[in-house]
Each structure stands twice: as C-alpha cells, then as structure tokens.
Amino acid sequence: MNRTIRRAATVTLLLVMALLLRVTWVQMVNGEALADDDQNRRNTIEEYAQPFGDIIVGGKPVTGSTRAEGGGDLHYKRTYTDGPAYAPVTGFSSQVRGATQLEGIYQDVLNGTDDRLKGPLDMLTGEQAEPGNVLTTIDPEVQRAGVEALGDKKGAAVAVDPDTGKLLGVASTPSYDPSSFSGSGEDDDAAWQKLTARSGNDKNDDKPTLNRALRQAVPPGSTFKLVVAAAALEDGLYSSVDQRTDSPDPYTLKGTSTVLHNENRAAPCEDATLRTALRYSCNNVFAKLATDLGEKKVRAQAEKFGFNDEKQDVPVRAATSNYPEKMDDAQTGLTGIGQFEVTATPLQMAMVSQAIAHGGELVDPHMVSQVQDASGHTLQSYEDPDSHRVMSQDSAAQLRSAMQTVVDKGTGSNAQIDGVTVGGKTGTAQHGVDNSGTPYAWFTSYATTDSGKKVAVAVVVEDSDAARAEVSGNGLAAPIAKKMMKAALR
C-alpha cells in the first residue's frame, strides 16, 4: 500500500471515529436535554398524537379533544365545555401558545407522557401511555352562580369551604373561550390576535386572559379592617369587640396634618367598639388601631392570613398579596383601612373569612382533589391539606359575631339569606393617582347553616355600569357573594 492511500485511510478512520464519538456524546450525554428541548418538534407531535385526558368538575369533564383539521402532524386539539365559565380554572392548552394553569401544571398527565402513567410494557416498547385526568374541587353550581352574577362587570369571585380548604368557585370576568385558539389554523390565530388586542397596558383594556380571582392583587379597602381587628384582639390591645376604643373622630394621621374622615359623617364612630366600627366601617378607628399596634404587629397578623406569601399555590400560583414594610406612622394608619400599598387578591380575602369561619384555623385552599390515571387509580391526592392557626378560637368567634352585625344591621345588608347565618365586611377601595380610578367594590363573607354547612366568599368588582357615586361593596359585590353562598349551601 503506498503512502498516499495509507494516509487517506488513516484520516478517514479518524473521521469515522470522531463521528462515532460525537454521536455517542449526543445520545448518551445530551440526549435527554435534546429530547426535552422546547424546539424539539417530536415532543409536540407526541403530545397531540392522541386524545387528551380531562379536567373534571362535579364528576363531569369540562374539557375534551377533537381531530385537528388540515391533516398535519398534530392529530388532536383541545376542546372546552362552557369554556369562558371554566377558563379561570382550566387555563388553556394550545398547539401554538402552550398551556396555562391546570392545563399547564398537569400537562404531562393530560397528554399521557408522565412516567407515572406507564406500565412495564409501555416502558419496554416506548409506547405512549393512556392519559390521566385531573379532578377539581369546583362545584359547578357555585361556579355558575359566580359567573352569572358577575355578568358584564369586570371583576372576580372566589368561594371556599372553610373546613376543608376546597375551592368551590373561581370566577373571573370578562373571560374567554380557550377552544377558539387551541389549534394552529388561521381561525385560531385570528381569535388569539383579537383576544390579545383586548389585553394591552391601557387601564381600560379588558384583559380577558387575566385570572383576576387568583392572579391580580388590588387595594382591598375596608375588607382589610378584619385583619386589623384580628391583630388588635390577638395582641390584647382590646379584649372584646364590644370594648370601647380610644378613637377620635375625625382622626388626624400621626405626624401629619391630614385629617381622615368617615364616609358616613353621622355614624357613631368616635371611640366606637370594634363591632360598631366594623358595622359602620369607621376609618378613624382602624387607622388609629393600626398606628397603635405598629406596622410589625399588623404585618405579622396579615402574614398569618397569607399576605406576603410569594408561593401561594392552589396549585396555580396566586399573585402575592402585599402588606408593606418600612412605613412611617401615617402610612401605617392608612394600611389600617386597606389603602397605601396594601393589595390583595380575591383568593386572599376569601382566606381571611375562611379562617374566621373555621375557628381561627386556616386550611390551605386548593382546587384539585386528585390526579388519576386512566383507570381511576390515584397518582396524587390533595385531600389532606395542611393548616395553621391564624388566631384564637375566641378571637374568631368575636369576629364572626361582629361580621354578622355588619350583615344584619350594617353596611352588608344585601348579603342576608333567609334561614342562614351570614357575616361579612364591605369595602370600597380607592386607586389611581389622586383617586382618579373607579373605586373597587369589595365584599368578603362567610355563611353557615344550622346543620353546620359553611362557605366563605370574596368578591371584587373593578368596573361596572354603575355611576361612580353608586359604587359600594354592599351595592355591587354583596349580591354576587349572596348568590354564590346560596349555591354552595343549597
């Protein structure tokens, strides 16, 4: 063999060996990363190769699957029953836009790629397993009541079972139909473009894809007074909701010349008891209470309820409800009436009423009870949630009594239900520069029957067709809460 041929053979052998080493490296070292890469088309093809598992509400699926049109390599696409009503629960699953909320969290279970779904034969053959299902805690009657009561208003509502933490209703309006853009065709793209055109940064944009019940924290206004009242009782600043407070009316914010008035100037708010102060929503009492307690004690109580929790999962990650720090006395006083930089989601304010209704103990709220395989075997259960004490049973009992007074004789009269014990707290929260925005109308409440059945509800109405002067928690939010409570206690 001459030298030229020998050299060529050597170079060729080295190239073959380099190629083999590279292939081995890719398969053995980078194989898993490449397989999981978002740009790997094979993953998307596998995901949409068969009908999906379902998200179950009240024993019935609110999702489905249908053959995708066009004859492409994505064979199935997601469909939704009552899509706009359940979008705040399910989220969406789109061939182009991915998946959100429960659809995203349990994507591998619902499309059959989760390893827990695979039997020994599937492992050997590499075949895709039959998809599993996600069982929610949502009560269809409560969900329907919330959606219908909100109607054309911009707002949200959350209902929770105080004893179990099960979310019974999660409503957000305006909403959207996830079916309209679940595929990859021109109609799907047009529907998405139309939807996102309503979700810009302008304050008047509808933002229909925003889950206002879980993902938007806004000023809670006077509903936050329940947190301050709980702090005052737990600290021992006042031993009873019927003990008179030291509260001048009007109240001048400490260290300033700013005078804080009450909405109802004729209300008996001077040195009022906590019961009377909640009944008439006396700003002077709660601003003074927050100042006397100090920001650290109010924050500690708020955090027991769930404020400042950056990982509040139900299992959808909720937006953080905020109680600020490093404030002066005047700013602390404003937080006492749910203003300054205090923000809360409807979920958070439902948790406040939930803990009060459950004797001062907060059970972790959740909207999934079980994740199952196709045969109904449980892969994951959420039926034994954690809980922690927020306040003493005595403090909770006193606040329940005071909240009943709010509904029976005070600002929450529109939540009254015949034959049912109802307690609540209204709120009207200012927002915008110099209070330029339409006030938020709030109501948080609980209801219980003689048989012991309970529900806690929080509602916020961001915008409605009501005149600005007519915006109130009792006028706009309490009737919505009432309908959801009645549905839960039916």
Side-chain angles (χ1 to χ4, degrees):
M1 182 181 299
N2 64 41
R3 183 177 300 176
T4 302
I5 294 175
R6 188 165 56 250
R7 287 178 176 175
T10 301
V11 170
T12 302
L13 180 61
L14 289 173
L15 289 173
V16 170
M17 291 179 65
L19 180 61
L20 289 173
L21 286 171
R22 178 59 181 167
V23 170
T24 301
W25 175 267
V26 169
Q27 290 181 336
M28 300 298 292
V29 179
N30 289 342
E32 185 174 349
L34 290 172
D36 294 337
D37 193 288
D38 292 339
Q39 302 301 316
N40 189 344
R41 178 71 175 174
R42 291 176 181 270
N43 292 333
T44 306
I45 293 172
E46 181 182 14
E47 181 179 350
Y48 292 96
Q50 64 178 339
F52 301 93
D54 284 311
I55 297 173
I56 309 295
V57 173
K60 296 180 180 180
V62 295
T63 56
S65 303
T66 187
R67 274 279 184 179
E69 299 175 359
D73 53 9
L74 304 183
H75 296 163
Y76 287 88
K77 68 175 184 177
R78 201 47 142 163
T79 60
Y80 295 85
T81 303
D82 293 333
Y86 289 107
V89 176
T90 63
F92 64 75
S93 179
S94 165
Q95 292 178 347
V96 177
R97 273 93 198 173
T100 62
Q101 297 191 180
L102 296 188
E103 289 277 31
I105 293 170
Y106 300 106
Q107 187 174 30
D108 291 350
V109 171
L110 295 168
N111 64 30
T113 60
D114 192 304
D115 287 342
R116 293 175 297 175
L117 299 169
K118 296 179 180 180
L121 186 60
D122 296 322
M123 292 290 190
L124 289 173
T125 63
E127 291 293 321
Q128 189 170 350
E130 193 173 350
N133 300 312
V134 177
L135 281 60
T136 74
T137 62
I138 300 298
D139 183 321
E141 295 298 326
V142 177
Q143 184 74 8
R144 185 175 300 112
V147 171
E148 291 179 354
L150 281 165
D152 295 332
K153 303 176 186 69
K154 186 186 295 184
V158 172
V160 58
D161 183 325
D163 294 342
T164 65
K166 292 180 178 179
L167 291 177
L168 306 177
V170 178
S172 177
T173 55
S175 189
Y176 63 98
D177 184 1
S179 297
S180 65
F181 56 90
S182 63
S184 53
E186 292 182 2
D187 290 344
D188 299 89
D189 184 64
W192 177 257
Q193 296 303 327
K194 182 179 180 180
L195 187 64
T196 53
R198 299 169 57 194
S199 300
N201 295 320
D202 188 273
K203 65 179 181 179
N204 294 318
D205 290 335
D206 291 338
K207 298 181 177 65
T209 57
L210 173 63
N211 188 336
R212 290 176 159 83
L214 306 178
R215 295 291 305 152
Q216 177 160 268
V218 299
S222 292
T223 58
F224 190 76
K225 292 172 180 176
L226 291 171
V227 177
V228 181
L233 291 172
E234 287 295 283
D235 180 68
L237 184 61
Y238 294 101
S239 60
S240 165
V241 293
D242 294 309
Q243 180 182 350
R244 295 189 70 83
T245 64
D246 177 16
S247 309
D249 182 20
Y251 173 66
T252 302
L253 292 172
K254 190 173 181 180
T256 75
S257 58
T258 302
V259 178
L260 192 65
H261 293 281
N262 295 303
E263 189 72 21
N264 181 358
R265 300 289 181 90
C269 290
E270 183 176 357
D271 298 334
T273 65
L274 293 179
R275 183 188 300 277
T276 298
L278 288 170
R279 174 183 176 183
Y280 291 99
S281 203
C282 299
N283 290 333
N284 64 310
V285 173
F286 290 98
K288 177 73 161 41
L289 273 181
T291 305
D292 290 346
L293 287 165
E295 68 164 87
K296 290 184 179 180
K297 290 181 179 180
V298 180
R299 185 187 309 109
Q301 185 63 59
E303 289 178 349
K304 289 181 180 179
F305 280 111
F307 283 81
N308 297 336
D309 183 355
E310 297 179 354
K311 296 181 179 180
Q312 196 174 83
D313 300 330
V314 294
V316 176
R317 175 65 54 85
T320 303
S321 297
N322 181 63
Y323 186 83
E325 56 184 341
K326 297 181 180 178
M327 298 176 289
D328 60 29
D329 289 335
Q331 292 166 337
T332 301
L334 288 175
T335 68
I337 60 173
Q339 296 290 169
F340 188 52
E341 295 177 356
V342 181
T343 60
T345 61
L347 169 67
Q348 178 60 75
M349 295 317 300
M351 290 166 64
V352 171
S353 290
Q354 173 194 356
I356 293 170
H358 190 52
E361 187 176 20
L362 180 65
V363 182
D364 287 353
H366 56 284
M367 65 176 174
V368 171
S369 58
Q370 288 186 6
V371 179
Q372 297 180 342
D373 65 16
S375 300
H377 299 128
T378 301
L379 302 177
Q380 200 167 358
S381 176
Y382 299 90
E383 296 184 331
D384 186 21
D386 292 334
S387 63
H388 67 273
R389 183 152 294 282
V390 173
M391 70 189 87
S392 69
Q393 291 189 18
D394 179 66
S395 295
Q398 293 201 55
L399 287 177
R400 287 197 302 274
S401 176
M403 290 172 72
Q404 291 172 33
T405 302
V406 171
V407 173
D408 292 343
K409 302 177 181 179
T411 58
S413 59
N414 285 339
Q416 294 175 6
I417 302 174
D418 291 342
V420 176
T421 299
V422 181
K425 182 68 191 80
T426 55
T428 306
Q430 301 176 358
H431 76 287
V433 179
D434 295 327
N435 192 25
S436 59
T438 302
Y440 296 128
W442 277 93
F443 191 70
T444 185
S445 58
Y446 76 90
T448 181
T449 64
D450 290 340
S451 64
K453 195 169 185 179
K454 302 174 187 175
V455 64
V457 176
V459 178
V460 62
V461 177
E462 296 179 33
D463 200 4
S464 70
D465 57 4
R468 182 185 177 92
E470 297 175 357
V471 173
S472 71
N474 191 44
L476 293 177
I480 298 170
K482 175 180 179 177
K483 290 180 180 179
M484 294 183 78
M485 289 188 289
K486 289 182 70 174
L489 300 175
R490 65 192 184 282

